[in-house]
Amino acid sequence: MRCHVSRSGYRGDENLKKLMSGNAALGEAAVLSGCSCYFGYPITPQNELTEYMAKRMNELGRVFIQSESEIAAINMVLGASVAGARAMTSSSSPGMSLKQEGISYLAADELPAVIVDMVRGGPGMGNISPAQSDYLQATRGGGHGDYKTIVLAPGSVQELTKVVPLAFDLADRYRNPVVILGDGMLGQMMEPVDFDNVQPPKEYPKDYILTGAKGRPSRMIRSLLFDTKEEEEHNWKLVRKYQRMEQNEVRYETFLTDDAEMIVIAYGIGARIAKGAIKRLRQENLKVGMVRPITAWPFPAAVLQEFARTVHEFFVFEMSAGQLIEDVKLALNGRGHIHFYGRPGGIIPTPVELYRIIGRHYYMASRREQS
Amino acid sequence: MTKVYTRPGTIKEAHFHYCPGCGHGIINRLLMEVIEEMGLREKAICVAPAGCGMLVYNYFDIDTLESAHGRGAAVATGIKRVRPDNLVFSYQGDGDLAAIGTAEGFHAANRGESITVIFVNNGVYGMTGGQMAPTTLTDQVTTTTPDGRNPIIAGYPVRICEVFSMLDGTTYLERVTVNKPAAVAKTKKAIKKAFQCQLDGKGFSLVEILSPCPTNWKMGPIESCRWIDDVMTKQFPLGVVKDIK
């Protein structure tokens, strides 16, 4: 494989893979997906994305604004979305907390948008090293009210090129905000990547956007529903939409599960670490496989339930102190044994460390089976 | 019999929910008159606030979005950057623009966004029941300043037009009121000028309108109108604060 380091961005030479950071690759994938507006505020570890967009969007004559805050950025996204544009913003954990108000409004107003969270250690200021501790914030809505966002959790720079156009497509298809849940490692690390399969998603009819009431009745977009009956009906309408997402949009990957006696559940960069551990475990003939949710919401609960018919041991690994495990527990609903290894924001666990811990649990479980 | 006045075609046939003597009804009507007279119904997009003004979409027969509290200028920025040929304006109260949304308003102004802010200043949070606003006058009694606003504890009334006038991105800023017929006519002219400023692509424009709130001021409608002249305009002097040709 030939690679070259690209400082100035991807230039469409199909014979070469480019060595790019996840942040820059995400930016290029967004550009190729037809993202016409980007709004962002500096925060590490996602700054390369904002900087990439500053350069590329200006080159292409598209909209780029460095906003005064994450709050302003998400509201500019809302405005651009209302006006019919394909809009994106990005941030990292502390900034994502600030965006939650706007995401709640996007969901309530049924407006498409793509929001990137390159998660870092928290709570509070935390630090700038990778973490997965925004999982519950992302998968439970995150802001006020009964709402959901689709949450896509890619695990490599190349996978970003699949996830980004998908995010824009799902946002438009469901008229709902979509969150790309990465982490500091995915954003910062450089990997070979090509954009050969990135196509702009199809255009959906947008009969709700505000363009000025030319030749049609005026439109209003609002989330204030004083009438209690109207408010509840609006909420049920949203719930039905989320149910359709749960039915149709679950995505996951399995790894060495055919003969597995223990199934690891991990996502994003955590799954990458787990894959390294599982390869070592397999060398010692430990039958360990993995289910990697690609959609953290809707969560692949049904596939875990299916595995639970034959597999008894499940191992949850996450770079947070116990968030992903909640979804696994809900999915398995008492079936199987759930083992857990989570490390909160701070030190990044290594594949060797995880290999030792999964191995220990595997032997403990087989001794329990024997006795 | 000759009809001398009629509802502008840009106002829906709905009853205003505003309290008797409130200035919002006049301001709503003026906005829609201007939009009709300037032939902008098919171009206008309004960003409504949280607060008493949020229900303007029940009255304005133009494309309207209700934004979160204070975020109007950021939302209007997003719309305008996508649709530069539209007339985009936000309708914001004093709590909305001068407290929770200061950052969004200030920076939209500083970027010189080609939008118009209609800033309704009545010195109180109206919809929530008359709490202190950033524009509440010194010594003014509100539900959260029961002994009057004490600047030592609660700071001073914010003059948005004067603050924004320091920003290079702003082009036209005027403070007006709607407490008597001549003032209403002046306000209409100011709105027209602000919209024209936007259509000419000059940059950020804002019209601050001192507006009576008899309910929360605990005054009668006529007394409220007098109070604007006698007291409020001393802190918030009327007139053009900035007008770049």
Side-chain angles (χ1 to χ4, degrees):
Chain A
M1 184 177 64
R2 289 190 301 154
C3 290
H4 88 176
V5 178
S6 169
R7 287 192 203 289
S8 56
Y10 183 66
R11 286 294 179 275
D13 180 350
E14 65 275 16
N15 297 320
L16 286 177
K17 282 204 171 205
K18 310 291 168 188
L19 193 61
M20 286 175 91
S21 74
N23 282 327
L26 199 160
E28 185 57 30
V31 165
L32 295 173
S33 300
C35 172
S36 59
C37 296
Y38 172 90
F39 309 98
Y41 183 85
I43 184 169
T44 309
Q46 61 83 58
N47 293 317
E48 297 78 7
L49 174 51
T50 310
E51 288 163 1
Y52 190 87
M53 294 308 264
K55 189 166 189 304
R56 286 289 277 148
M57 297 299 264
N58 288 342
E59 278 172 5
L60 296 164
R62 300 185 193 177
V63 176
F64 170 90
I65 298 180
Q66 180 176 328
S67 62
E68 60 272 24
S69 70
E70 287 90 348
I71 298 170
I74 192 73
N75 281 286
M76 288 173 188
V77 163
L78 190 145
S81 181
V82 158
R86 214 162 246 168
M88 183 171 93
T89 182
S90 63
S91 193
S92 180
S93 309
M96 279 302 282
S97 293
L98 292 174
K99 287 189 194 293
Q100 297 304 328
E101 174 198 67
I103 299 173
S104 172
Y105 277 78
L106 284 161
D109 291 342
E110 296 198 78
L111 294 170
V114 173
I115 302 128
V116 178
D117 182 3
M118 290 299 181
V119 181
R120 63 187 240 181
M125 195 76 93
N127 69 11
I128 57 169
S129 72
Q132 294 189 315
S133 37
D134 291 0
Y135 181 87
L136 286 176
Q137 183 191 56
T139 56
R140 267 59 176 172
H144 61 285
D146 264 328
Y147 76 93
K148 295 285 186 185
T149 59
I150 294 177
V151 182
L152 299 167
S156 70
V157 175
Q158 186 63 59
E159 194 179 13
L160 278 168
T161 67
K162 280 189 207 155
V163 156
V164 172
L166 176 65
F168 281 103
D169 180 66
L170 292 172
D172 275 349
R173 197 186 311 168
Y174 290 97
R175 285 180 55 183
N176 205 67
V178 174
V179 172
I180 297 175
L181 189 65
D183 66 278
M185 198 188 299
L186 182 66
Q188 300 274 317
M189 69 185 181
M190 296 183 90
E191 289 191 308
V193 59
D194 70 64
F195 296 86
D196 299 347
N197 297 314
V198 184
Q199 295 289 335
K202 74 169 197 174
E203 296 288 339
Y204 292 82
K206 292 187 170 177
D207 58 0
Y208 57 91
I209 59 171
L210 304 188
T211 57
K214 192 170 188 178
R216 59 163 172 78
S218 59
R219 290 173 182 157
M220 61 174 165
I221 295 181
R222 59 180 180 151
S223 60
L224 173 79
L225 299 156
F226 266 135
D227 184 287
T228 49
K229 207 173 141 224
E230 216 183 331
E231 161 76 346
E232 184 168 348
E233 193 36 62
H234 177 64
N235 273 315
W236 283 124
K237 184 186 165 209
L238 295 180
V239 168
R240 288 191 291 274
K241 180 165 81 173
Y242 305 143
Q243 287 169 343
R244 284 203 304 281
M245 293 173 183
E246 285 181 301
Q247 273 165 16
N248 302 326
E249 304 307 339
V250 172
R251 285 167 174 80
Y252 60 91
E253 181 194 58
T254 58
F255 177 64
L256 304 176
T257 50
D258 286 351
D259 63 342
E261 290 176 358
M262 177 179 269
I263 286 182
V264 176
I265 299 106
Y267 72 95
I269 218 69
R272 192 82 171 261
I273 296 167
K275 218 172 219 179
I278 290 168
K279 281 180 186 162
R280 282 170 181 266
L281 292 161
R282 282 280 172 176
Q283 282 167 13
E284 295 178 18
N285 296 320
L286 269 59
K287 290 179 177 170
V288 181
M290 177 165 68
V291 172
R292 176 176 75 94
I294 296 170
T295 48
W297 195 90
F299 189 75
V303 69
L304 291 187
Q305 285 155 14
E306 190 57 34
F307 275 117
R309 291 149 72 109
T310 51
V311 179
H312 304 298
E313 308 300 329
F314 295 88
F315 190 107
V316 177
F317 167 62
E318 56 183 294
M319 285 155 63
S320 41
Q323 303 195 20
L324 172 65
I325 193 172
E326 289 194 9
D327 275 337
V328 176
K329 281 182 178 173
L330 285 168
L332 293 176
N333 198 17
R335 278 166 293 184
H337 299 105
I338 300 176
H339 307 257
F340 177 68
Y341 186 60
R343 287 188 74 157
I347 294 170
I348 306 161
T350 64
V352 175
E353 168 186 349
L354 189 61
Y355 146 81
R356 288 195 187 116
I357 289 159
I358 296 176
R360 204 180 305 146
H361 280 258
Y362 189 94
Y363 281 119
M364 268 156 42
S366 51
R367 275 219 299 278
R368 191 181 61 230
E369 289 277 306
Q370 286 159 14
S371 61
Chain B
M1 206 162 64
T2 351
K3 206 172 187 181
V4 293
Y5 178 75
T6 189
R7 165 206 302 273
T10 39
I11 284 203
K12 292 178 188 169
E13 291 199 16
H15 291 285
F16 284 151
H17 71 286
Y18 305 118
C19 305
C22 169
H24 276 296
I26 300 167
I27 299 162
N28 284 193
R29 191 234 324 151
L30 289 179
L31 277 165
M32 289 305 107
E33 278 180 5
V34 169
I35 282 177
E36 182 166 67
E37 286 166 22
M38 294 177 80
L40 294 170
R41 185 188 169 271
E42 299 186 335
K43 267 192 160 187
I45 301 176
C46 171
V47 179
C52 288
M54 71 162 65
L55 294 174
V56 293
Y57 51 66
N58 286 339
Y59 316 130
F60 292 179
D61 189 17
I62 56 170
D63 278 7
T64 306
L65 165 86
E66 163 213 280
S67 90
H69 192 30
R71 316 299 174 219
V75 172
T77 296
I79 296 173
K80 184 71 180 187
R81 291 289 183 113
V82 176
R83 302 203 167 272
D85 296 334
N86 283 78
L87 176 89
V88 181
F89 68 98
S90 68
Y91 187 102
Q92 300 184 252
D94 37 43
D96 199 87
L97 182 71
I100 194 167
T102 314
E104 288 80 0
F106 183 96
H107 287 282
N110 190 49
R111 285 191 304 268
E113 295 292 343
S114 206
I115 59 171
T116 304
V117 174
I118 303 299
F119 172 40
V120 181
N121 176 1
N122 59 15
V124 285
Y125 283 79
M127 187 171 252
T128 47
Q131 294 83 4
M132 180 189 73
T135 48
T136 294
L137 302 182
T138 300
D139 295 331
Q140 189 181 340
V141 172
T142 70
T143 59
T144 49
T145 52
D147 302 320
R149 181 178 191 168
N150 177 357
I152 293 167
I153 300 167
Y156 298 87
V158 177
R159 292 189 194 90
I160 281 287
C161 277
E162 285 78 355
V163 172
F164 280 19
S165 70
M166 304 301 290
L167 303 173
D168 291 342
T170 56
T171 51
Y172 171 64
L173 308 165
E174 181 167 0
R175 187 179 291 117
V176 289
T177 181
V178 287
N179 66 342
K180 52 195 169 202
V184 170
K186 230 177 185 172
T187 297
K188 187 169 173 179
K189 250 175 89 179
I191 294 170
K192 231 176 208 172
K193 199 165 170 192
F195 283 172
Q196 194 57 51
C197 177
Q198 179 181 156
L199 294 174
D200 296 343
K202 283 188 186 162
F204 184 92
S205 54
L206 178 145
V207 180
E208 176 175 346
I209 307 169
L210 305 183
S211 175
C213 181
T215 301
N216 288 306
W217 293 355
K218 315 283 183 224
M219 293 177 199
I222 296 168
E223 197 188 353
S224 298
C225 289
R226 276 201 199 109
W227 192 75
I228 289 179
D229 275 344
D230 297 346
V231 184
M232 211 175 174
T233 50
K234 303 288 182 290
Q235 174 70 26
F236 300 112
L238 301 179
V240 175
V241 177
K242 188 172 182 179
D243 186 8
I244 300 217
K245 298 293 170 206

